[in-house]
Amino acid sequence: MSDDLVPRRAARARRAPWADRLEEAATQLADGIVRRERVGEAPHDAFAVLRRLGLIGLTVPAELGGEGATLAETSEAARRLARVDGGLAHAVGYHWVWLWFVSAYGVHGSEPAAPTAPARELARRTAVDGLVWASIGSAFGGSGGTVRSAGGYAVSARRGFATGAPLADLLFTQSVLDEDGRMRVWAIPTDREGVTVSGDWDPVGQRLSASPGVVLDDVRATDDDLVAIVSPPSEHPLPLQSLMIPAFQSLFGWLAVGIAEGALLEARDYVRGHGRPWVHSAADTATEDVHVVAGFGRQVAAVSAAAALVREGAAELDALAAAPTSVTPAQRGEVAEVIAAGKIAAHHAGLDAASAVFDLTGARSASASFGLDRHWRNLRTLTLHDPVAYKHEELGRYFLSGDLPIPSVYR
């Protein structure tokens, strides 16, 4: 599905039936990406490609009309798209992971009182109708409050960044019901009165992730919009709920790997097609210049090592996700630290590779027409999502003292 920079001998357990469609999508999206990224408009046309190829419901179980992809398969799918378009991969990766949890709540529930039937129906509708999800908050931090109102509830929330919101049909929203302190997980249609999506997304990178601010102002909600009832921020999350943040951290690792791979692959194509040996080089072609050859070797090794570590964490997470209601805090914490290590490695290797490609391709490659700079800009923006310094500290504490991360917004 997503050929590594250095091929692996180990055969995959299975080739997903949707893998060829994903490859077709990546090929189509590569056409015109430099222009689209420069304009920076929300990628409605790109999502239309994914919808046409039946990839919107990737993580919905087959019995509900989806493809039944695992979290690990989903993250690698986002990695493949990130080679071409880091912003789009970010937005659709979020959609796929949120949808996995919606589907999981529908199948497993989160507690005996949780309303699983609406979650199943929402997952089914998403797969059949190609609905797009975004989110305005994390499961553990909360993002607003809820009060009872005539005929249901009034939900209020505010989020400075909501990836994919301008593209979304539904917002995955968590809010605490004031009267009982329990957190409700809602699926709020974006066209409902009181939902405002701002136009304030203008970053240096990840421009196509479409991540502006969102405000919910006393938005009407009913039990039909209720995906689950989960632990409030003051309590330890339920087993299924506890997997949400490691899943997103794993996705970030794969996005960083994919963007770095895209930079290296495009740089390789540039050297093959346009590169020239340096005036003081003894080589006849750029592909024979020892500094270019060695430079690519160094970067490929570093990014491939990061990919291997990210893949290990994703596989461990998949093992937990196979039985999400029986996960223990120790199991969750141990896997979270493997994922943290992979994310750290992908952060450093990715930024280094996306910058180093200019040393390997030369001055002419800095032309805006080639768009090689977008990979570094995308990675630099993506890696600001949560500071890597805190991941260093988290992993160091685990290594030195065995401290497991307490589930929270970013751990």
Side-chain angles (χ1 to χ4, degrees):
M1 178 180 65
S2 54
D3 295 336
D4 291 304
L5 298 180
V6 178
R8 292 181 293 138
R9 291 176 59 90
R12 296 184 181 276
R14 69 181 182 109
R15 179 171 174 81
W18 41 267
D20 289 340
R21 283 179 280 142
L22 179 73
E23 195 63 34
E24 181 180 348
T27 300
Q28 290 187 31
L29 294 172
D31 184 29
I33 180 57
V34 174
R35 177 191 56 79
R36 294 199 310 274
E37 197 275 338
R38 187 178 300 125
V39 174
E41 295 179 351
H44 292 282
D45 291 346
F47 265 79
V49 170
L50 299 177
R51 187 177 288 109
R52 180 177 59 78
L53 292 172
L55 296 169
I56 293 295
L58 201 63
T59 46
V60 175
E63 62 266 27
L64 298 180
E67 299 289 347
T70 68
L71 286 172
E73 290 175 326
T74 299
S75 294
E76 288 222 36
R79 166 213 191 172
R80 177 63 187 91
L81 296 178
R83 290 179 172 182
V84 174
D85 183 344
L88 171 70
H90 188 174
V92 75
Y94 265 34
H95 159 83
W96 282 332
V97 175
W98 287 124
L99 191 53
W100 185 91
F101 286 105
V102 172
S103 302
Y105 283 126
V107 172
H108 300 286
S110 57
E111 63 180 39
T116 59
R120 290 179 63 86
E121 175 58 18
L122 286 165
R124 187 198 65 78
R125 282 179 49 214
T126 296
V128 173
D129 298 335
L131 303 181
V132 176
W133 289 71
S135 173
I136 70 165
S138 65
F140 303 134
S143 59
T146 301
V147 296
R148 291 193 185 274
S149 65
Y153 307 85
V155 180
S156 295
R158 183 180 299 272
R159 184 70 168 177
F161 302 104
T163 295
L167 307 160
D169 302 292
L170 295 165
L171 291 174
F172 188 95
T173 306
Q174 303 91 48
S175 61
V176 177
L177 182 62
D178 292 348
E179 67 186 48
D180 66 5
R182 304 295 288 170
M183 186 176 287
R184 266 67 175 171
V185 180
W186 307 94
I188 302 294
T190 52
D191 61 358
R192 190 164 290 178
E193 185 177 357
V195 177
T196 302
V197 178
S198 75
D200 60 358
W201 183 242
D202 187 26
V204 297
Q206 291 300 81
R207 294 168 56 78
L208 299 181
S209 69
S211 303
V214 171
V215 175
L216 306 186
D217 185 12
D218 288 336
V219 175
R220 179 183 58 83
T222 70
D223 286 341
D224 288 339
D225 303 315
L226 193 55
V227 174
I229 302 172
V230 299
S231 302
S234 59
E235 296 181 10
H236 196 285
L238 296 161
L240 174 56
Q241 183 189 1
S242 78
L243 297 181
M244 297 182 77
I245 298 305
F248 282 108
Q249 291 291 304
S250 177
L251 172 65
F252 270 90
W254 273 131
L255 289 173
V257 166
I259 294 171
E261 289 174 333
L264 290 171
L265 289 167
E266 287 190 23
R268 180 187 67 181
D269 291 344
Y270 178 91
V271 170
R272 287 174 172 176
H274 305 280
R276 301 177 184 178
W278 181 237
V279 64
H280 297 300
S281 171
D284 294 326
T285 65
T287 56
E288 296 174 333
D289 187 314
V290 64
H291 298 296
V292 173
V293 173
F296 272 107
R298 176 179 179 273
Q299 298 302 329
V300 167
V303 173
S304 297
L309 189 51
V310 172
R311 181 181 288 110
E312 181 181 354
E316 294 286 348
L317 179 63
D318 254 5
L320 296 187
T325 57
S326 60
V327 176
T328 68
Q331 290 173 328
R332 188 261 189 204
E334 291 163 0
V335 171
E337 291 317 289
V338 178
I339 292 171
K343 184 182 176 186
I344 290 170
H347 171 112
H348 293 296
L351 285 175
D352 190 26
S355 175
V357 293
F358 292 100
D359 294 320
L360 305 176
T361 51
R364 290 180 181 82
S365 71
S367 169
S369 63
F370 295 110
L372 277 176
D373 62 303
R374 77 183 192 279
H375 299 293
W376 184 87
R377 289 186 289 102
N378 285 343
L379 258 174
R380 183 63 280 186
T381 304
L382 178 77
T383 52
L384 295 174
H385 181 271
D386 48 301
V388 73
Y390 285 88
K391 282 296 171 198
H392 293 159
E393 179 192 16
E394 176 188 330
L395 186 59
R397 287 184 182 278
Y398 175 70
F399 177 71
L400 290 173
S401 306
D403 293 345
L404 296 174
I406 298 173
S408 62
V409 176
Y410 297 110
R411 293 178 172 174

